[in-house]
Amino acid sequence: MTGSSVNWPGGARIAVTLTFDFDAETLWLSRDPANAQRPGTLSQGVYGARIGVPKILETLKEAGVPATFFIPGWTVENHADRAEMVLKAGHEIGHHSYSHAWIDPAFPEQEVEEMERGLDALKRVLGVVPKGYRSPAGETSDNTIRLLAKHGFLYDSSMMAEINPYRITAPDGSSIIELPWHWSLDDAPFLLFSIKTPRPIFTNSHIREVWQDEFREIHRWGGYYNLVMHPQFTGRPSRIALLREMIAFMRGFEGVWFATCSQVAEAWATSQS
């Protein structure tokens, strides 16, 4: 491909969304309930709320760029001050389940509960009715799109079938705009270490190379760059520096549009009409 396949606002060649999954302790509580008795384990999530979110917001403010934060309902209830900081800073808040439990297609009633409890928390605590949804770990079921359409969501960001946004249709005919992501543009595979699932913790230079190489080629094609980060990982000191460097790097290219996920979904929908 030699030109942009989407008519982005202002003639931009590439749309960029900086997205943050603000999981806090849910990342550990949802995988093993026994972690509720392990404050050392949970402190990783506490760090994301206590230090990561404010430093990320500070970095975004200095750069003057918008972002989208996908927040579980549990996190909204238990870290309301930090969720309110995100809201007051003018960033978009999206739905990220209630407890960060992975969707299991064998138990559709649990997916409904996670959806509805998360929506209730966002509305009750923040007054937010989210336009977008991202499933925990990208796990979905045949019910996901139907549920999102039922609740009036504009977009989903849980699938990986494209570079540009696309429309995905459920078996019952309901559909929603999909903002694709990919594990290579997610900080977790590079930084999520635990005793139970040990893995290498990669250097900034390694992550930077992957992220920048992907950006260069998507920019060449003309498309959509969806960077997925987590306050408990990208909120670490050197990773904040990496975020700052990535924003500066992308700004060195022509036709880069930094936007919220809702703005990208709306622009894509307009380009298709």
Side-chain angles (χ1 to χ4, degrees):
M1 287 184 280
T2 58
S4 177
S5 55
V6 179
N7 183 24
W8 297 124
R13 183 171 187 81
I14 187 171
V16 174
T17 53
L18 303 176
T19 69
F20 299 89
D21 295 355
F22 179 15
D23 304 327
E25 295 97 314
T26 66
L27 188 64
W28 292 272
L29 290 170
S30 64
R31 303 313 303 150
D32 184 356
N35 283 332
Q37 306 302 317
R38 298 184 177 113
T41 297
L42 296 183
S43 67
Q44 299 169 91
V46 174
Y47 177 92
R50 183 178 295 172
I51 305 298
V53 167
K55 294 303 293 184
I56 287 167
L57 291 176
E58 177 185 299
T59 304
L60 295 172
K61 182 177 180 180
E62 289 174 353
V65 293
T68 300
F69 286 73
F70 294 95
I71 313 181
W74 186 96
T75 301
V76 168
E77 292 175 344
N78 290 272
H79 295 286
D81 58 335
R82 291 305 193 244
E84 288 168 359
M85 284 179 67
V86 173
L87 191 61
K88 290 177 180 177
H91 301 294
E92 178 185 5
I93 291 179
H95 190 344
H96 195 42
S97 81
Y98 177 77
S99 70
H100 206 272
W102 293 4
I103 291 171
D104 186 338
F107 299 96
E109 69 282 357
Q110 292 179 6
E111 183 176 6
V112 171
E113 180 183 4
E114 285 283 314
M115 176 69 66
E116 294 181 352
R117 287 187 72 188
L119 283 171
D120 174 71
L122 288 169
K123 178 65 174 179
R124 175 168 38 83
V125 179
L126 300 177
V128 167
V129 178
K131 293 183 178 181
Y133 171 80
R134 173 174 288 159
S135 65
E139 290 295 310
T140 58
S141 77
D142 286 342
N143 295 318
T144 303
I145 300 305
R146 179 183 59 79
L147 274 174
L148 295 175
K150 172 186 174 183
H151 288 288
F153 281 87
L154 170 66
Y155 71 88
D156 174 57
S157 184
S158 308
M159 315 273 184
M160 310 185 199
E162 277 277 4
I163 293 297
N164 278 311
Y166 60 102
R167 185 166 289 280
I168 186 166
T169 303
D172 69 353
S174 57
S175 69
I176 196 168
I177 296 169
E178 183 65 36
L179 302 185
W181 69 294
H182 190 264
W183 286 111
S184 62
L185 293 178
D186 186 319
D187 61 3
F190 304 104
L191 302 173
L192 177 56
F193 173 90
S194 73
I195 297 299
K196 287 189 174 182
T197 56
R199 65 176 76 175
I201 296 176
F202 288 91
T203 62
N204 277 7
S205 59
H206 181 105
I207 303 168
R208 185 186 302 113
E209 182 176 353
V210 174
W211 287 1
Q212 292 187 357
D213 283 352
E214 279 286 289
F215 180 86
R216 286 189 188 94
E217 190 63 11
I218 294 173
H219 182 273
R220 189 179 77 84
W221 291 10
Y224 171 53
Y225 186 82
N226 188 6
L227 195 56
V228 180
M229 295 163 282
H230 300 76
Q232 61 263 30
F233 307 137
T234 290
R236 296 298 305 176
S238 70
R239 315 304 181 178
I240 288 289
L242 176 60
L243 172 60
R244 189 167 58 243
E245 292 164 10
M246 280 299 302
I247 294 170
F249 167 79
M250 291 186 284
R251 279 192 159 143
F253 290 73
E254 292 184 0
V256 178
W257 177 44
F258 288 92
T260 65
C261 287
S262 286
Q263 289 172 329
V264 168
E266 288 163 356
W268 181 84
T270 298
S271 75
Q272 302 301 300
S273 60

